[in-house]
């Protein structure tokens, strides 16, 4: 597997002295589905900005498929497709023009651009809107338009900065399927998101950034394996007697709800067996929170405490 | 990477933009200049008499055409590029492998296209008021093309520095309009006292208007060679400034 993106010692100090990136190192392999997570202001968008040349770096190296952006920026740019966080297309321009012009900036001729525009607008269910101005679209449609635009030159690396922000769950899932399919076709995808469930479902590798530093960089399975505690919410039939579970931390939230914390070594069977003995009937059960979310909060808090 | 396709794409986008809003971009200059023709040409001009041996109306037509070319070339690029910054769709070009000279050439080409189109329309309108004579077509074409390039570059630099829509109207209002009105559009600078003639020759628009007038009438207050040298120097200096600003990402990259 070759390297799609290699970042070393990347620093960014904005005018006014704010240090957004404090020398980060990051490697993304070709064909990966990579998540870059972090709280607001952690440095995710600055990192993406530097990679795509929208932000001037202060120090460090960025290579895209081995091409140094300081030595051959135009070549490096030709590998990349960007779906930014903010809507940044001309709101007054028809969709088809937006896509064809974007392809033209990469040297794609008009005939090919029109074919690709039709393909992506149909796949992303925007074909009927092709003659409408960008401002006429809903939020979800605008996000999909930006994905189509980023694909017009068929990039080898697609960078998505919170692509599903403000998008309803149905559209989000359609977009996930679309991105999975793109990744299967060999496109390397780098994703930042606030929906940790999204990162957990889509990405194989992950880096967590906080205060301009990478606090974790590993594969998703190893990261989730670090989680040694999981909480479950049980909907129960109200009972008169107090529920007591031996060797298991539990909380009665109300008459209908019981929360239990289970270590990796613990078994749900033990919980159910004890509840059954006490005559408690369980109607349904779910995870209290997203597993990755728990880890994310833990890692970010740890990094903050160490400062 | 085919830079020709990228350049064509920016040019297409720019032309599509001003044609899409033609009521705002093409019609108003035609109406404004028609009013100038009616008021200064037909009504007042008939009482002024000859200017440099020509009817006043014939004398001011080249200047009025040039005035519309200057204003439209400048404002097209200033408003289009600033809108692209404001809506952030300038990032579409910045993330793509488009060389900086292609971005500059594309926007300047768009400004020139509007300037020349409006100039043509104003010329057609003027034909209702006066018989157009052509002394040297080559000078006319070269002057209009180069002058529109100068002001399109000026509009681009203005837009790069602008932080609000007010910033793109300050230069046209406080610099461009006075320089144009004092640039020999309505009078021959030979009518001025010697001191003010000297002052006028610092104004680059004097050279552009006079070169253009020479193309139509064969008369000029300045040497045509000097006029083209001045225009050439302005293009070189402004192009260099625009390239430097875009390369450094001033107002574009953080």
């Amino acid at each position: 597997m070759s390297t799609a993106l290699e970042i070393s010692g990347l620093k960014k100090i904005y005018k006014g002295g704010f240090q957004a990136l404090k020398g980060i190192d990051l490697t993304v392999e070709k064909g990966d589905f990579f998540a870059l997570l972090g709280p607001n202001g952690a440095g995710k968008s600055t990192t993406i900005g530097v990679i795509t040349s929208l932000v001037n770096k202060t120090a460090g190296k960025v290579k895209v498929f081995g091409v140094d952006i300081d030595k051959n920026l135009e070549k490096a740019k030709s590998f990349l497709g960007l779906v930014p966080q903010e809507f940044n297309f001309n709101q007054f321009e028809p969709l088809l023009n937006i896509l064809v012009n974007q392809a033209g900036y990469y040297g794609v001729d008009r005939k090919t651009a029109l074919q690709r525009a039709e393909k992506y607008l149909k796949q992303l269910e925007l074909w009927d809107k092709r003659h409408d101005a960008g401002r006429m679209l809903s939020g979800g449609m605008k996000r999909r338009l930006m994905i189509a635009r980023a694909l017009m030159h068929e990039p080898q690396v697609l960078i998505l900065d919170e692509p599903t922000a403000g998008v309803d769950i149905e559209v989000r899932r359609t977009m996930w399927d679309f991105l999975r399919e793109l990744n299967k076709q060999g496109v390397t995808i780098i994703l930042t998101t606030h929906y940790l469930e999204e990162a957990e479902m889509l990405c194989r590798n992950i880096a967590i950034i906080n205060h301009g530093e990478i606090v974790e960089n590993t594969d998703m399975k190893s990261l989730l394996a670090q989680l040694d505690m999981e909480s479950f919410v049980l909907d129960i039939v109200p009972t008169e007697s107090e529920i007591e579970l031996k060797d298991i931390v539990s909380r009665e939230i109300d008459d209908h709800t019981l929360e239990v914390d289970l270590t990796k070594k613990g078994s749900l069977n033990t919980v159910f067996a004890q509840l059954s003995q006490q005559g408690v009937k369980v109607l349904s059960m779910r995870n209290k929170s997203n597993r990755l979310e728990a880890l994310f909060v833990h890692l970010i808090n740890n990094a903050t405490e160490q400062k | 990477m085919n830079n020709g396709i990228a350049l064509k794409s920016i040019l297409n986008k720019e032309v599509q933009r001003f044609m899409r809003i033609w009521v705002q971009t093409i019609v108003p200059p035609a109406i404004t200049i028609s009013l100038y023709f009616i008021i200064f040409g037909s009504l007042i001009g008939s009482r002024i008499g000859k200017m440099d041996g020509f009817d006043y109306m014939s004398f001011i037509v080249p200047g009025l055409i040039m005035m519309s070319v200057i204003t439209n070339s400048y404002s097209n690029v200033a408003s289009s590029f600033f809108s692209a910054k404001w809506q952030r769709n300038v990032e579409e070009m910045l993330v793509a492998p488009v060389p900086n000279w292609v971005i500059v050439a594309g926007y300047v080409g768009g400004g020139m296209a509007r300037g020349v189109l409006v100039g043509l329309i104003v010329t057609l309108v003027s034909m209702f008021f006066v018989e157009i004579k052509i002394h040297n077509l080559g000078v006319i074409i070269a002057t209009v093309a180069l002058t529109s390039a100068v002001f399109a570059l000026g509009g681009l630099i203005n837009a790069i520095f602008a932080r609000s829509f007010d910033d793109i109207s300050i230069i046209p209002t406080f610099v461009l309009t006075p320089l144009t009105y004092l640039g020999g559009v309505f009078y021959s600078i030979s009518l001025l006292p010697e001191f003010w003639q000297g002052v006028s020759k610092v104004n680059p628009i004097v050279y552009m208007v006079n070169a253009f007038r020479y193309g139509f009438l064969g008369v000029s207050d300045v040497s045509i060679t000097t006029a083209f040298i001045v225009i050439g120097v302005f293009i070189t200096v402004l192009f260099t400034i625009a390239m430097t600003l875009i390369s450094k990402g001033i107002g574009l990259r953080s």
Side-chain angles (χ1 to χ4, degrees):
Chain A
M1 198 180 250
S2 62
T3 304
L5 178 70
E6 196 180 343
I7 295 174
S8 53
L10 187 62
K11 287 183 185 174
K12 173 64 188 177
I13 303 171
Y14 283 103
K15 276 180 193 167
F18 174 66
Q19 193 169 4
L21 298 176
K22 298 173 182 168
I24 65 166
D25 300 312
L26 203 61
T27 301
V28 179
E29 298 299 336
K30 186 184 175 190
D32 200 357
F33 208 135
F34 190 92
L36 181 62
L37 305 183
N40 286 333
K44 304 183 298 288
S45 294
T46 300
T47 307
I48 289 174
V50 172
I51 299 167
T52 54
S53 83
L54 292 174
V55 173
N56 292 327
K57 62 186 167 61
T58 307
K61 287 271 173 207
V62 177
K63 288 181 182 175
V64 186
F65 286 104
V67 178
D68 191 329
I69 63 165
D70 292 326
K71 290 181 181 160
N72 194 347
L73 179 60
E74 283 165 20
K75 176 104 193 254
K77 281 176 176 179
S78 68
F79 294 123
L80 300 168
L82 172 67
V83 180
Q85 200 177 118
E86 309 284 340
F87 300 131
N88 71 341
F89 49 84
N90 187 336
Q91 301 279 336
F92 303 99
E93 214 168 348
L95 272 59
L96 213 49
N97 288 3
I98 291 172
L99 297 190
V100 171
N101 284 335
Q102 184 68 26
Y105 302 153
Y106 289 83
V108 178
D109 66 82
R110 187 173 170 79
K111 192 181 164 198
T112 311
L114 283 167
Q115 287 166 352
R116 287 184 191 170
E118 183 175 351
K119 174 183 155 190
Y120 291 122
L121 287 176
K122 281 182 175 168
Q123 282 181 6
L124 289 159
E125 296 171 19
L126 290 169
W127 181 242
D128 293 345
K129 304 279 180 187
R130 65 191 179 280
H131 298 304
D132 290 356
R135 70 180 190 281
M136 308 299 285
L137 303 181
S138 68
M141 288 175 178
K142 286 176 179 171
R143 296 253 168 237
R144 280 179 279 154
L145 169 63
M146 293 203 297
I147 293 176
R149 186 185 61 179
L151 293 171
M152 286 302 290
H153 62 291
E154 302 197 326
Q156 295 188 45
V157 180
L158 182 65
I159 301 175
L160 303 111
D161 195 358
E162 296 184 26
T164 55
V167 169
D168 70 53
I169 188 66
E170 198 184 331
V171 175
R172 198 183 305 165
R173 286 180 189 279
T174 313
M175 282 164 74
W176 290 352
D177 291 340
F178 182 78
L179 294 175
R180 273 197 200 101
E181 189 53 39
L182 267 180
N183 184 239
K184 267 187 201 165
Q185 290 165 16
V187 179
T188 307
I189 298 181
I190 300 170
L191 173 86
T192 80
T193 179
H194 273 140
Y195 301 110
L196 299 178
E197 178 199 4
E198 186 165 89
E200 189 179 343
M201 290 187 70
L202 293 173
C203 301
R204 285 189 287 281
N205 289 297
I206 185 168
I208 296 178
I209 186 169
N210 192 31
H211 298 301
E213 291 171 310
I214 301 287
V215 294
E216 185 64 77
N217 185 5
T218 182
D219 63 282
M220 190 67 77
K221 280 182 188 165
S222 308
L223 186 69
L224 292 173
Q226 291 177 23
L227 191 67
D228 56 1
M229 185 74 77
E230 206 161 357
S231 299
F232 295 91
V233 179
L234 280 64
D235 297 316
I236 56 172
V237 175
T239 172
E240 294 289 317
S241 54
E242 196 175 326
I243 300 170
E244 279 183 29
L245 298 176
K246 197 183 167 193
D247 299 330
I248 294 168
V249 178
S250 67
R251 295 169 294 280
E252 280 190 66
I253 306 302
D254 56 40
D255 288 350
H256 302 266
T257 316
L258 178 72
E259 260 184 35
V260 293
D261 296 338
L262 214 57
T263 61
K264 263 186 195 169
K265 290 174 186 168
S267 163
L268 272 170
N269 286 347
T270 321
V271 177
F272 286 123
Q274 290 192 47
L275 288 173
S276 189
Q277 277 172 9
Q278 292 172 48
V280 179
K281 195 174 174 186
V282 179
L283 299 172
S284 63
M285 185 190 76
R286 63 185 184 277
N287 274 73
K288 187 188 175 188
S289 64
N290 176 272
R291 295 180 299 160
L292 185 59
E293 193 168 302
L295 252 179
F296 178 79
V297 171
H298 171 72
L299 286 166
I300 294 297
N301 286 343
N302 262 4
T304 308
E305 278 167 17
Q306 281 167 16
K307 288 195 172 290
Chain B
M1 170 67 194
N2 190 329
N3 290 334
I5 294 177
L7 178 61
K8 201 174 150 196
S9 298
I10 300 175
L11 275 171
N12 273 346
K13 178 175 74 77
E14 284 304 288
V15 173
Q16 281 164 0
R17 189 195 77 90
F18 73 70
M19 291 306 286
R20 194 168 53 235
I21 48 171
W22 61 276
V23 178
Q24 295 171 45
T25 53
I26 308 295
V27 175
I31 292 174
T32 309
I33 297 297
S34 298
L35 289 170
Y36 276 116
F37 286 138
I38 293 167
I39 296 164
F40 293 103
S42 297
L43 301 179
I44 299 172
S46 57
R47 298 178 179 217
I48 292 175
K50 302 275 185 189
M51 185 80 71
D52 275 356
F54 294 90
D55 291 342
Y56 187 64
M57 186 69 169
S58 300
F59 181 83
I60 65 166
V61 163
L64 290 174
I65 296 170
M66 191 48 89
M67 190 163 87
S68 58
V69 170
I70 289 171
T71 313
N72 282 278
S73 307
Y74 191 94
S75 62
N76 192 72
V77 185
S79 60
S80 176
F81 196 80
F82 181 72
S83 294
K85 263 176 60 174
W86 192 70
Q87 292 190 77
R88 297 180 64 174
N89 57 295
V90 72
E91 292 175 2
E92 291 175 342
M93 278 172 283
L94 298 179
V95 299
V98 185
N100 294 328
W101 72 264
V102 173
I103 296 177
V104 174
Y107 273 91
V108 169
M112 288 171 71
R114 177 166 150 195
V116 171
L117 178 64
V118 171
L120 272 173
I121 291 169
V122 170
T123 307
L124 290 175
V125 170
S126 72
M127 290 165 85
F128 287 101
F129 299 91
V130 69
E131 188 188 343
I132 297 282
K133 291 170 188 162
I134 293 176
H135 175 72
N136 187 328
L137 187 61
V139 171
I140 291 174
I141 293 171
T143 313
V144 81
L146 296 174
T147 304
S148 60
V150 169
F151 287 93
L153 282 163
L156 180 62
I157 293 167
N158 188 169
I160 289 171
F161 282 116
R163 290 184 175 194
S164 69
F165 281 99
D166 288 343
D167 294 342
I168 55 168
S169 64
I170 287 171
I171 301 287
T173 307
F174 295 105
V175 180
L176 223 52
T177 306
L179 285 181
T180 309
Y181 277 71
L182 299 171
V185 170
F186 297 102
Y187 56 87
S188 164
I189 61 167
S190 62
L191 296 178
L192 300 173
E194 203 168 320
F195 172 77
W196 290 108
Q197 281 189 39
V199 171
S200 293
K201 284 181 180 172
V202 179
N203 178 358
I205 293 177
V206 165
Y207 297 88
M208 298 161 191
V209 167
N210 275 283
F212 197 58
R213 184 173 287 133
Y214 175 84
F216 283 98
L217 305 177
V219 295
S220 171
D221 293 331
V222 295
S223 138
I224 300 305
T225 311
T226 311
F228 279 110
I229 290 170
V230 169
I231 296 171
V233 168
F234 266 87
I235 287 179
T236 310
V237 170
L238 294 177
F239 180 76
T240 309
I241 293 172
M243 283 294 290
T244 309
L245 293 172
I246 291 190
S247 303
K248 289 189 174 177
I250 307 287
L252 299 171
R253 294 186 172 96
S254 45

